[in-house]
Amino acid sequence: MAGPSRGRGRTALLIAVAAVLGIVGGTATGYAVQADRPPTPLPVLAQPGLAYPAKALPAGEKAKPLSAEEDNGIRTEGDLRELLIDRPAGTRKVAPDWLEDGWVSVRSYAHYFQGGGYAFSSALDNGLRRVAGTAWAGSGERQGSVVLAQYRPSADTHATTALEWLPWGMIARSGSGNPVEGTAKGRYYVYDAGAGTPLRYRAYAAAHRGDVLVRVQLVDSRPIGEKDIRTLIEDQVERL
């Protein structure tokens, strides 16, 4: 009985040795083939020149700080309410329950503009710092609002969320909206809620610039033109 067992052991050993020799031989052949080929230069790495500073500063010299015009952070660190655009001509200021002296509490913002009971803690966990807003009423039943929500360190992720959580159930029937000029993710929507709905015509836009997320809303009993919502969101982004 020992003979067949030793035979199988020798066979397995021979197979293993052959496999190792095959790998070694293949590797050696590969190196030999590569060695006979002319060297292939690597592509040049794309490295744009640094915009600032253009060259190294002398020892002991510090770079000059950016001016207020060059540093967007200075603008948004001031009174956020001052960055809100002016109300459209011919409108009057209103004070809805979610707005107090130009500020929106985190709780009001989370529940009114995002919806869902978990939104309050989620807003804090995701770096929401403060929210400013303005609201107005125009001719007929036209109503509008602009809200600036400041996050740390950036509002980029929250801009995506703002377009996924559209108000009034718009996401089901509004399509993909239209891009906001000068932004990476900004979009605006014009929406008809259907007959029998109070203020059935609605428009919504969201975009961000740096650490500030912008939301604009319009409602009316009459159709809202795309230009109305587009002008508001583009003016507000430019103001930032």
Side-chain angles (χ1 to χ4, degrees), residues 12 82 87 107 137 144 191:
E82 295 181 358
R87 300 188 310 276
R107 185 176 298 277
Y191 176 47

Side-chain angles (χ1 to χ4, degrees), residues 30-143:
Y31 276 116
V33 171
Q34 183 64 35
D36 291 337
R37 293 177 178 174
T40 303
L42 294 173
V44 178
L45 294 176
Q47 176 60 59
L50 297 177
Y52 182 84
K55 57 182 179 181
L57 294 172
E61 184 175 336
K62 295 182 179 180
K64 295 180 180 179
L66 297 175
S67 67
E69 290 76 17
E70 296 170 321
D71 190 348
N72 291 332
I74 294 179
R75 291 175 59 81
T76 58
E77 284 306 311
D79 190 335
L80 196 61
R81 297 173 298 179
E82 295 181 358
L83 294 180
L84 288 161
I85 57 172
D86 297 330
R87 300 188 310 276
T91 64
R92 67 184 187 278
K93 183 179 180 179
V94 297
D97 55 5
W98 50 266
L99 184 62
E100 182 176 354
D101 192 27
W103 294 108
V104 185
S105 71
V106 175
R107 185 176 298 277
S108 294
Y109 176 78
H111 286 274
Y112 184 82
F113 291 96
Q114 296 183 22
Y118 70 93
F120 175 68
S121 59
S122 176
L124 294 178
D125 292 342
N126 287 286
L128 180 62
R129 293 180 55 191
R130 53 182 181 163
V131 187
T134 184
W136 64 86
S139 60
E141 296 186 86
R142 173 69 60 95
Q143 300 174 26

